[in-house]
Coordinates of all heavy atoms in Angstrom, one line a residue:
D504 N 8.4 62.8 -23.5 CA 7.4 61.7 -23.7 C 7.9 60.4 -23.0 O 7.4 59.3 -23.4 CB 7.2 61.4 -25.2 CG 5.8 61.8 -25.6 OD1 5.1 62.2 -24.7 OD2 5.5 61.7 -26.8
R505 N 8.7 60.5 -22.0 CA 9.1 59.3 -21.3 C 8.1 58.8 -20.3 O 8.0 57.7 -20.0 CB 10.5 59.5 -20.7 CG 11.6 59.5 -21.7 CD 12.9 60.0 -21.1 NE 13.5 59.2 -20.1 CZ 14.6 59.5 -19.4 NH1 15.2 60.6 -19.7 NH2 15.1 58.7 -18.5
I506 N 7.3 59.8 -19.8 CA 6.2 59.5 -19.0 C 5.0 60.3 -19.4 O 5.1 61.4 -20.0 CB 6.4 59.7 -17.5 CG1 6.7 61.2 -17.2 CG2 7.5 58.8 -16.9 CD1 6.6 61.6 -15.8
S507 N 3.8 59.8 -19.1 CA 2.6 60.5 -19.5 C 2.2 61.5 -18.4 O 2.4 61.2 -17.2 CB 1.5 59.5 -19.8 OG 0.3 59.9 -19.3
E508 N 1.7 62.6 -18.8 CA 1.2 63.6 -17.8 C 0.1 62.9 -16.9 O -0.1 63.4 -15.8 CB 0.7 64.9 -18.4 CG 0.5 66.0 -17.4 CD 0.4 67.4 -17.9 OE1 0.7 67.6 -19.1 OE2 -0.1 68.2 -17.2
R509 N -0.5 61.9 -17.4 CA -1.5 61.2 -16.7 C -1.0 60.7 -15.3 O -1.6 60.8 -14.3 CB -2.1 60.0 -17.5 CG -3.3 59.4 -17.0 CD -3.7 58.1 -17.8 NE -2.5 57.3 -18.1 CZ -2.0 56.4 -17.2 NH1 -2.6 56.3 -16.0 NH2 -1.0 55.6 -17.5
L510 N 0.3 60.2 -15.4 CA 0.9 59.7 -14.1 C 1.0 60.9 -13.1 O 0.8 60.7 -11.9 CB 2.3 59.2 -14.4 CG 2.4 57.8 -15.0 CD1 3.9 57.4 -15.1 CD2 1.7 56.8 -14.1
I511 N 1.3 62.0 -13.6 CA 1.5 63.2 -12.7 C 0.1 63.6 -12.2 O 0.0 64.0 -11.0 CB 2.3 64.3 -13.4 CG1 3.7 63.8 -13.6 CG2 2.3 65.6 -12.7 CD1 4.6 64.7 -14.3
N512 N -0.8 63.6 -13.0 CA -2.2 64.0 -12.6 C -2.7 63.1 -11.5 O -3.2 63.5 -10.5 CB -3.2 63.9 -13.8 CG -2.9 65.0 -14.8 OD1 -2.2 66.0 -14.5 ND2 -3.5 64.8 -16.0
E513 N -2.4 61.8 -11.7 CA -2.8 60.8 -10.7 C -2.2 61.1 -9.3 O -2.9 61.1 -8.3 CB -2.3 59.5 -11.2 CG -3.1 58.2 -11.0 CD -2.3 57.0 -11.6 OE1 -1.3 56.6 -11.0 OE2 -2.7 56.6 -12.7
A514 N -0.9 61.3 -9.4 CA -0.2 61.5 -8.1 C -0.6 62.9 -7.5 O -0.8 62.9 -6.3 CB 1.3 61.6 -8.4
T515 N -0.8 63.9 -8.3 CA -1.2 65.2 -7.8 C -2.6 65.1 -7.1 O -2.9 65.6 -6.0 CB -1.3 66.2 -8.9 OG1 -0.1 66.2 -9.6 CG2 -1.6 67.6 -8.4
K516 N -3.5 64.3 -7.7 CA -4.8 64.2 -7.1 C -4.7 63.5 -5.8 O -5.4 63.8 -4.8 CB -5.7 63.3 -8.1 CG -6.2 64.2 -9.3 CD -6.8 63.3 -10.3 CE -8.2 62.7 -9.9 NZ -8.9 62.1 -11.1
N517 N -3.8 62.5 -5.7 CA -3.7 61.8 -4.4 C -3.2 62.7 -3.3 O -3.6 62.6 -2.2 CB -2.6 60.6 -4.6 CG -3.2 59.5 -5.4 OD1 -4.4 59.4 -5.6 ND2 -2.3 58.7 -6.0
V518 N -2.4 63.7 -3.7 CA -1.9 64.7 -2.7 C -3.0 65.7 -2.4 O -3.3 66.1 -1.2 CB -0.6 65.4 -3.2 CG1 -0.2 66.5 -2.2 CG2 0.5 64.3 -3.3
L519 N -3.7 66.3 -3.4 CA -4.7 67.3 -3.2 C -5.8 66.7 -2.4 O -6.4 67.4 -1.5 CB -5.3 67.8 -4.5 CG -4.3 68.6 -5.4 CD1 -5.0 68.9 -6.8 CD2 -3.9 69.9 -4.8
R520 N -6.1 65.5 -2.6 CA -7.2 64.8 -1.9 C -7.1 65.0 -0.4 O -8.0 65.4 0.4 CB -7.4 63.4 -2.3 CG -8.5 62.7 -1.7 CD -8.6 61.2 -2.2 NE -8.7 61.2 -3.6 CZ -7.8 60.6 -4.4 NH1 -6.7 60.0 -3.9 NH2 -7.9 60.6 -5.7
I521 N -5.8 64.7 0.1 CA -5.6 64.7 1.6 C -5.7 66.2 2.1 O -6.2 66.4 3.2 CB -4.3 64.1 1.9 CG1 -4.1 64.0 3.4 CG2 -3.1 64.7 1.3 CD1 -5.0 63.1 4.1
K522 N -5.4 67.1 1.3 CA -5.5 68.5 1.7 C -6.9 68.9 1.9 O -7.3 69.7 2.8 CB -4.7 69.5 0.7 CG -3.2 69.2 0.7 CD -2.5 70.2 -0.1 CE -1.0 69.9 0.0 NZ -0.2 70.9 -0.7
F523 N -7.8 68.4 1.0 CA -9.2 68.6 1.1 C -9.7 67.9 2.4 O -10.5 68.5 3.1 CB -10.0 68.2 -0.1 CG -10.0 69.2 -1.2 CD1 -9.2 69.1 -2.4 CD2 -10.7 70.4 -1.1 CE1 -9.2 70.0 -3.3 CE2 -10.7 71.4 -2.0 CZ -10.0 71.2 -3.2
Q524 N -9.3 66.7 2.5 CA -9.8 65.9 3.7 C -9.5 66.6 5.0 O -10.2 66.5 5.9 CB -9.2 64.5 3.6 CG -9.8 63.6 2.5 CD -9.1 62.3 2.4 OE1 -8.0 62.1 2.8 NE2 -9.7 61.3 1.7
L525 N -8.3 67.2 5.0 CA -7.9 67.9 6.3 C -8.6 69.3 6.4 O -8.4 69.9 7.4 CB -6.4 68.1 6.3 CG -5.6 66.8 6.5 CD1 -4.2 67.0 6.0 CD2 -5.6 66.4 8.0
G526 N -9.3 69.7 5.4 CA -10.0 71.0 5.5 C -9.1 72.2 5.2 O -9.4 73.3 5.5
L527 N -7.9 71.9 4.6 CA -7.0 73.0 4.4 C -7.4 74.0 3.3 O -7.0 75.2 3.4 CB -5.6 72.4 4.0 CG -4.9 71.7 5.1 CD1 -3.6 71.0 4.6 CD2 -4.6 72.6 6.3
F528 N -8.2 73.5 2.4 CA -8.7 74.5 1.4 C -9.7 75.4 1.9 O -9.9 76.6 1.5 CB -9.3 73.8 0.1 CG -8.2 73.3 -0.8 CD1 -7.7 72.0 -0.8 CD2 -7.6 74.2 -1.7 CE1 -6.7 71.6 -1.6 CE2 -6.6 73.7 -2.6 CZ -6.2 72.4 -2.6
D529 N -10.4 75.0 3.0 CA -11.4 75.9 3.6 C -10.7 76.9 4.4 O -11.1 78.1 4.5 CB -12.4 75.1 4.5 CG -13.2 74.1 3.7 OD1 -13.3 74.3 2.5 OD2 -13.6 73.1 4.3
D530 N -9.7 76.5 5.2 CA -9.0 77.4 6.0 C -7.6 76.8 6.2 O -7.3 75.9 7.0 CB -9.6 77.6 7.4 CG -8.8 78.5 8.3 OD1 -7.8 79.0 7.9 OD2 -9.2 78.6 9.5
P531 N -6.6 77.4 5.5 CA -5.3 76.8 5.5 C -4.6 77.0 6.8 O -3.6 76.4 7.1 CB -4.5 77.6 4.4 CG -5.5 78.4 3.7 CD -6.8 78.5 4.5
F532 N -5.1 77.9 7.7 CA -4.4 78.2 8.9 C -5.1 77.6 10.1 O -4.8 77.9 11.3 CB -4.4 79.7 9.1 CG -3.8 80.5 8.0 CD1 -4.6 81.1 7.0 CD2 -2.4 80.4 7.8 CE1 -4.0 81.8 6.0 CE2 -1.8 81.1 6.7 CZ -2.6 81.7 5.8
R533 N -6.1 76.7 9.8 CA -6.9 76.2 10.9 C -6.2 75.4 12.0 O -6.6 75.3 13.1 CB -8.1 75.4 10.4 CG -7.8 74.2 9.6 CD -8.9 73.7 8.7 NE -10.1 73.4 9.5 CZ -10.4 72.1 9.8 NH1 -9.6 71.1 9.5 NH2 -11.5 71.9 10.5
Y534 N -5.0 74.9 11.6 CA -4.2 74.2 12.6 C -3.1 75.0 13.3 O -2.5 74.6 14.3 CB -3.5 73.0 11.9 CG -4.5 71.9 11.4 CD1 -5.0 72.1 10.1 CD2 -4.8 70.8 12.1 CE1 -5.9 71.1 9.6 CE2 -5.7 69.9 11.6 CZ -6.2 70.0 10.4 OH -7.1 69.1 9.9
S535 N -2.9 76.2 12.8 CA -1.9 77.0 13.4 C -2.5 78.0 14.3 O -2.8 79.2 14.0 CB -1.1 77.8 12.3 OG -0.6 76.8 11.4
D536 N -2.7 77.6 15.6 CA -3.4 78.4 16.5 C -2.6 78.5 17.8 O -2.5 77.6 18.6 CB -4.8 77.7 16.7 CG -5.7 78.4 17.8 OD1 -5.1 79.2 18.6 OD2 -6.9 78.1 17.8
V537 N -2.1 79.7 18.1 CA -1.2 79.9 19.2 C -1.9 79.6 20.5 O -1.4 79.0 21.4 CB -0.7 81.4 19.2 CG1 0.1 81.6 20.5 CG2 0.2 81.6 18.0
D538 N -3.2 80.0 20.6 CA -3.9 79.7 21.9 C -4.1 78.3 22.1 O -3.9 77.7 23.2 CB -5.3 80.4 21.9 CG -5.1 81.9 21.9 OD1 -4.1 82.4 22.4 OD2 -6.0 82.6 21.4
R539 N -4.5 77.6 21.1 CA -4.7 76.1 21.2 C -3.3 75.4 21.6 O -3.3 74.6 22.4 CB -5.2 75.5 19.9 CG -5.6 74.1 20.1 CD -6.6 73.7 19.0 NE -6.1 73.3 17.8 CZ -5.7 72.1 17.4 NH1 -5.9 71.1 18.2 NH2 -5.3 71.8 16.2
Q540 N -2.3 75.9 20.9 CA -1.0 75.4 21.2 C -0.6 75.5 22.7 O -0.2 74.5 23.4 CB 0.1 76.1 20.4 CG 1.5 75.7 20.7 CD 2.5 76.4 19.7 OE1 2.3 76.4 18.5 NE2 3.5 77.0 20.2
K541 N -0.9 76.7 23.2 CA -0.6 76.9 24.7 C -1.4 76.0 25.5 O -1.0 75.4 26.5 CB -0.9 78.4 25.1 CG 0.2 79.3 24.7 CD 0.1 80.6 25.5 CE 0.9 81.7 24.8 NZ 0.1 82.8 24.3
A542 N -2.7 75.8 25.2 CA -3.6 75.0 26.0 C -3.3 73.5 25.9 O -3.5 72.8 26.9 CB -5.0 75.3 25.6
E543 N -2.8 73.1 24.8 CA -2.7 71.6 24.6 C -1.4 71.0 25.0 O -1.4 70.0 25.6 CB -3.0 71.3 23.1 CG -4.4 71.4 22.6 CD -5.3 70.3 23.2 OE1 -4.8 69.3 23.7 OE2 -6.5 70.5 23.2
V544 N -0.3 71.7 24.7 CA 1.0 70.9 24.8 C 1.3 70.7 26.2 O 1.2 71.6 27.1 CB 2.2 71.5 24.0 CG1 1.9 71.6 22.5 CG2 2.6 72.9 24.5
M545 N 1.7 69.5 26.5 CA 2.1 69.0 27.8 C 1.2 69.3 28.9 O 1.6 69.6 30.1 CB 3.5 69.5 28.1 CG 4.6 68.9 27.2 SD 6.2 69.2 27.7 CE 6.5 67.8 28.8
K546 N -0.1 69.3 28.6 CA -1.1 69.6 29.7 C -1.1 68.4 30.7 O -0.7 67.3 30.3 CB -2.4 70.0 29.2 CG -3.2 69.0 28.4 CD -4.5 69.6 28.0 CE -5.4 68.7 27.3 NZ -6.4 69.3 26.5
D547 N -1.5 68.7 31.9 CA -1.5 67.6 33.0 C -2.1 66.3 32.5 O -1.6 65.3 32.8 CB -2.2 68.2 34.2 CG -1.4 69.3 34.9 OD1 -0.2 69.4 34.5 OD2 -1.9 69.9 35.8
E548 N -3.3 66.5 31.9 CA -4.0 65.3 31.4 C -3.1 64.4 30.5 O -3.1 63.2 30.6 CB -5.2 65.7 30.7 CG -6.2 64.7 30.4 CD -7.2 65.4 29.4 OE1 -7.6 66.6 29.5 OE2 -7.7 64.6 28.5
H549 N -2.3 65.0 29.7 CA -1.4 64.3 28.8 C -0.3 63.6 29.6 O 0.1 62.5 29.3 CB -0.9 65.2 27.7 CG -1.9 65.8 26.8 ND1 -1.6 66.6 25.8 CD2 -3.3 65.6 26.7 CE1 -2.8 66.9 25.1 NE2 -3.8 66.3 25.7

Side-chain angles (χ1 to χ4, degrees):
D504 249 358
R505 285 166 66 181
I506 60 166
S507 137
E508 191 167 343
R509 191 185 49 79
L510 281 184
I511 291 176
N512 290 344
E513 214 177 77
T515 308
K516 284 168 70 169
N517 291 339
V518 175
L519 292 176
R520 185 176 304 117
I521 183 67
K522 295 186 176 183
F523 276 108
Q524 287 170 343
L525 287 160
L527 292 175
F528 279 97
D529 296 337
D530 177 1
F532 305 103
R533 60 199 299 267
Y534 296 85
S535 304
D536 176 342
V537 175
D538 293 336
R539 187 157 84 93
Q540 174 174 315
K541 276 196 201 120
E543 285 291 342
V544 300
M545 294 195 86
K546 63 182 183 195
D547 290 348
E548 192 189 323
H549 295 179

